[in-house]
Amino acid sequence: QVQLVESGGGLVQPGGSLRLSCAASGFTFRSYFMFWYRQAPGKERELVARIGEFGVSTNHADSVKGRFTISRDNKQNMVYLQMNSLKPEDTADYYCAAGTRWNRLPEYWGKGIQVTVSS
């Protein structure tokens, strides 16, 4: 049974940092691309970042480039999203996802975790 469980969300002030974690199980983690998506209220889902199987290739949305960093640990079956210099517009539900194709919607999704940036 595939499971993706996000943690590390919460309320943070503008300019602050959070680190999201995603624990993966039930599939061969090292063979999958990993993704972070987000969806703010009333907005479309947005791809935030993605990472290749070996953690070498990464891609970040322009809206978060230079502030967010995706990484993975294939020994621990974990993927992370380090979020710095957070802005109110980063407020959203964040989802961890796993897929076999770089440019297609992932096959597996976590339930999501809320991040709120507010003073």
Side-chain angles (χ1 to χ4, degrees):
Q1 179 184 358
V2 173
Q3 281 195 313
L4 295 168
V5 180
E6 301 95 341
S7 61
L11 174 64
V12 63
Q13 291 188 343
S17 297
L18 280 177
R19 188 196 196 204
L20 301 184
S21 300
C22 174
S25 61
F27 62 102
T28 307
F29 180 77
R30 63 181 182 274
S31 297
Y32 279 71
F33 301 114
M34 296 301 297
F35 305 78
W36 285 101
Y37 282 79
R38 69 184 180 186
Q39 187 166 21
K43 294 191 176 181
E44 292 188 356
R45 181 174 54 195
E46 175 188 18
L47 174 60
V48 176
R50 52 189 169 178
I51 187 166
E53 305 102 312
F54 305 110
V56 176
S57 299
T58 63
N59 177 254
H60 298 79
D62 287 344
S63 57
V64 306
K65 203 167 289 183
R67 300 188 298 120
F68 291 12
T69 303
I70 189 172
S71 61
R72 68 188 293 164
D73 183 340
N74 284 353
K75 292 183 180 179
Q76 300 293 327
N77 287 6
M78 297 288 295
V79 62
Y80 305 99
L81 186 68
Q82 179 65 44
M83 305 187 295
N84 299 328
S85 302
L86 282 159
K87 304 175 181 179
E89 52 263 43
D90 294 318
T91 295
D93 290 327
Y94 283 72
Y95 297 86
C96 172
T100 53
R101 301 290 182 93
W102 185 250
N103 286 317
R104 294 197 180 172
L105 275 179
E107 288 93 324
Y108 304 127
W109 293 79
K111 293 183 179 180
I113 194 163
Q114 188 172 52
V115 171
T116 302
V117 185
S118 175
S119 55

